[in-house]
Amino acid sequence: MSRVAYVNGRYLRHAEAQVHIEDRGYQFSDGVYEVILIKNGHMIDEEQHLKRLQKSLSSLEIVLPMKQTAMRHIMKEVIKRNKFQNGIIYIQITRGVAAREHSFPKYSNPTLVMTARRIAAKNYNEIESGVKVITIDDIRWKRCDIKSISLLPNVLGKQTARNQGAYEAWMVDAAGYVTEGTSTNAWIVSPDGRLITAELGRNILSGITRNRFIKIIHELNYKLEERQFSVEEAKNAREAFFTSSTSFLTPVTEIDGAVIGNGRAGSLSIELLKAYDNYMNQAY
Ligand code: PDD
């Protein structure tokens, strides 16, 4: 089945979709993006993703090139034309094409690109065996709350993880606290059963999945602390996991070689993941 991409007003065959070489996204990473999960043909937490997209755009003074209702229509059309039920839609907006000059161009039309990709359904046996995480220095800029397409530290961090046989790298700030994963939010469960994840600020992304899990945790009456935690605390946690639109909740069984819990996914992690699965099935 051939994939379809949307580029500035046109639906094109994915293989032929292009933007100009002087697009500021290409030259300066001058743009933002969103990744939204599609489950059974429906977008999960579309509203929250669009809100965050708008916030990222405003932070960079990029104006959405159309009304939000028009954009939603295009998103639905992209999903429809790609003919799959489970996957992701990727939306990228850059400041547009202009002669290369660092300051904002006087005139430029933002470039809007959307692609969609099928992803295989998760297998619970696989999830339960968990994944390994390493820790690395957080070398990113001071506005990690903006979902910028400038992802070099994240790319390098993820590759460092892969090179060491790990799935994700958790980034650690100068004070020794875990900020987040290279493409995920980081969580631990304390020995007495409290869920802990970093508080929102400019040093992390306000993950839509993170925020959804917070709601679920409240509904299930578990104790939650939004605060920083150190690598040491994480290594001594009862459970650890990370969340994102594409990884949902993924249990962590090893951090820098230290085994977490009994080396399998923790029971609270599995319970939360099942609750999230239920949420997704009822979300539309
Ligand atoms: N990553 N932190 C970072 C640095 C991220 O890049 C992401 C998302 C998250 C989780 O956010 P959400 O729950 O809204 O997906 C946290 C996306 C999936 C990506 O870059 O592919």
Side-chain angles (χ1 to χ4, degrees):
M1 194 81 66
S2 73
R3 292 173 66 193
V4 176
Y6 172 90
V7 184
N8 288 332
R10 296 166 69 203
Y11 297 94
L12 302 165
R13 283 187 42 190
H14 185 272
E16 286 157 15
Q18 294 178 352
V19 292
H20 196 276
I21 54 166
E22 290 217 281
D23 190 278
R24 289 178 63 94
Y26 184 56
Q27 296 196 322
F28 295 113
S29 299
D30 190 358
V32 301
Y33 76 105
E34 280 295 329
V35 177
I36 307 177
L37 184 75
I38 302 157
K39 172 104 176 169
N40 302 329
H42 297 271
M43 284 177 269
I44 301 298
D45 289 333
E46 175 188 3
E47 203 70 44
Q48 288 83 344
H49 280 279
L50 288 178
K51 236 170 141 177
R52 184 173 66 186
L53 179 65
Q54 189 48 58
K55 224 174 134 213
S56 297
L57 285 168
S58 303
S59 304
L60 301 187
E61 296 176 43
I62 297 174
V63 178
L64 188 68
M66 61 184 63
K67 290 220 165 73
Q68 221 182 62
T69 46
M71 201 167 99
R72 282 172 191 258
H73 173 78
I74 297 166
M75 287 157 66
K76 287 208 173 75
E77 194 59 31
V78 168
I79 295 167
K80 200 170 113 198
R81 290 184 188 223
N82 278 282
K83 298 191 175 72
F84 64 74
Q85 290 295 301
N86 294 296
I88 55 156
I89 179 163
Y90 175 83
I91 305 166
Q92 178 174 306
I93 304 174
T94 70
R95 201 179 305 279
V97 176
R100 189 180 179 282
E101 166 86 46
H102 286 65
S103 56
F104 297 172
K106 206 161 183 183
Y107 306 104
S108 71
N109 291 319
T111 301
L112 171 59
V113 169
M114 292 189 207
T115 57
R117 182 163 57 87
R118 186 194 307 265
I119 52 173
K122 302 259 182 228
N123 162 340
Y124 265 87
N125 285 340
E126 220 173 82
I127 290 171
E128 289 196 20
S129 50
V131 298
K132 294 178 187 171
V133 159
I134 58 160
T135 61
I136 56 170
D137 286 345
D138 192 341
I139 58 167
R140 298 175 300 162
W141 71 330
K142 292 178 179 162
R143 289 305 308 273
C144 301
D145 55 320
I146 301 173
K147 202 159 171 55
S148 149
I149 57 172
S150 179
L151 290 171
L152 213 38
N154 310 58
V155 167
L156 296 177
K158 187 80 88 184
Q159 190 55 40
T160 304
R162 293 293 147 84
N163 291 346
Q164 295 183 25
Y167 187 85
E168 176 62 301
W170 281 5
M171 296 178 282
V172 180
D173 68 17
Y177 293 110
V178 174
T179 51
E180 60 183 332
T182 62
S183 63
T184 58
N185 287 110
W187 297 74
I188 56 168
V189 180
S190 68
D192 61 354
R194 283 166 294 132
L195 285 137
I196 303 165
T197 193
E199 69 270 40
L200 295 182
R202 289 186 166 193
N203 58 342
I204 67 163
L205 185 75
S206 173
I208 305 301
T209 322
R210 169 198 185 276
N211 302 341
R212 178 59 57 194
F213 271 101
I214 287 180
K215 289 204 174 83
I216 291 172
I217 288 161
H218 285 313
E219 279 164 20
L220 295 175
N221 277 323
Y222 285 113
K223 289 204 170 74
L224 169 79
E225 288 177 13
E226 286 179 73
R227 64 157 172 87
Q228 27 188 31
F229 60 86
S230 67
V231 175
E232 216 36 52
E233 189 175 3
K235 285 183 181 168
N236 291 307
R238 187 202 279 179
E239 298 181 28
F241 59 88
F242 52 78
T243 58
S244 77
S245 299
T246 45
S247 71
F248 312 158
L249 179 157
T250 303
V252 172
T253 48
E254 234 182 270
I255 301 173
D256 288 340
V259 175
I260 307 302
N262 62 4
R264 301 274 302 165
S267 56
L268 187 50
S269 305
I270 296 294
E271 186 186 342
L272 291 175
L273 178 59
K274 288 188 172 154
Y276 184 66
D277 219 34
N278 279 340
Y279 161 73
M280 287 196 291
N281 288 326
Q282 292 163 11
Y284 42 84

